[in-house]
Amino acid sequence: QVQLVESGGGLVQPGGSLRLSCAASGRISGIDYMGWYRQAPGAQRELVTTITSGGEWYSDSVKGRFTISRDNAKNMGYLQMNNLKPEDTGVYYCNANIKIPDRVYANNYWGKGTLVTVSS
């Protein structure tokens, strides 16, 4: 069974930094897409950033402050968050398209989320 697990969330002051990790486990032959979503209290879940072999994308609200990366050999994804603002508060979810052995198509998976709270 493929599983995504986020970690690294916590409480941080405005202007601080956090690094989130997304660990993919199971019988994985490849990850061709990974993204991070977040959901603030009372708000819709929004796409924050994506990474594929073709490059990276960031929402305007985080551009210049967040950096997405991945380590394909370790099946790990990361989200470096700098200069955090209170409006960055929310549950951050890892999302990935994962190919497993003996399967023609990749499936989409979600982690359960990690809470990021930006507050003084």
Side-chain angles (χ1 to χ4, degrees):
Q1 294 181 338
V2 173
Q3 183 174 300
L4 293 178
V5 179
E6 304 94 336
S7 62
L11 176 64
V12 64
Q13 293 184 336
S17 298
L18 283 175
R19 191 190 193 202
L20 305 183
S21 297
C22 175
S25 62
R27 296 180 178 179
I28 299 170
S29 62
I31 303 175
D32 61 9
Y33 156 84
M34 182 170 285
W36 290 90
Y37 288 73
R38 69 185 181 189
Q39 189 166 20
Q44 298 278 4
R45 187 175 298 185
E46 65 173 343
L47 180 61
V48 176
T49 179
T50 65
I51 185 169
T52 68
S53 61
E56 306 158 12
W57 175 90
Y58 299 92
S59 68
D60 289 339
S61 62
V62 308
K63 196 173 300 180
R65 300 187 298 118
F66 290 13
T67 303
I68 188 172
S69 62
R70 61 180 178 178
D71 186 334
N72 292 330
K74 297 181 179 180
N75 292 325
M76 293 285 295
Y78 306 95
L79 180 62
Q80 179 66 46
M81 305 185 295
N82 297 327
N83 192 24
L84 284 162
K85 303 176 180 179
E87 51 262 44
D88 295 319
T89 294
V91 178
Y92 283 70
Y93 298 90
C94 180
N95 177 238
N97 290 340
I98 300 176
K99 179 72 165 57
I100 63 177
D102 302 321
R103 297 294 185 272
V104 177
Y105 303 106
N107 290 325
N108 189 253
Y109 297 86
W110 288 89
K112 294 182 179 179
T114 184
L115 178 62
V116 172
T117 302
V118 185
S119 176
S120 60

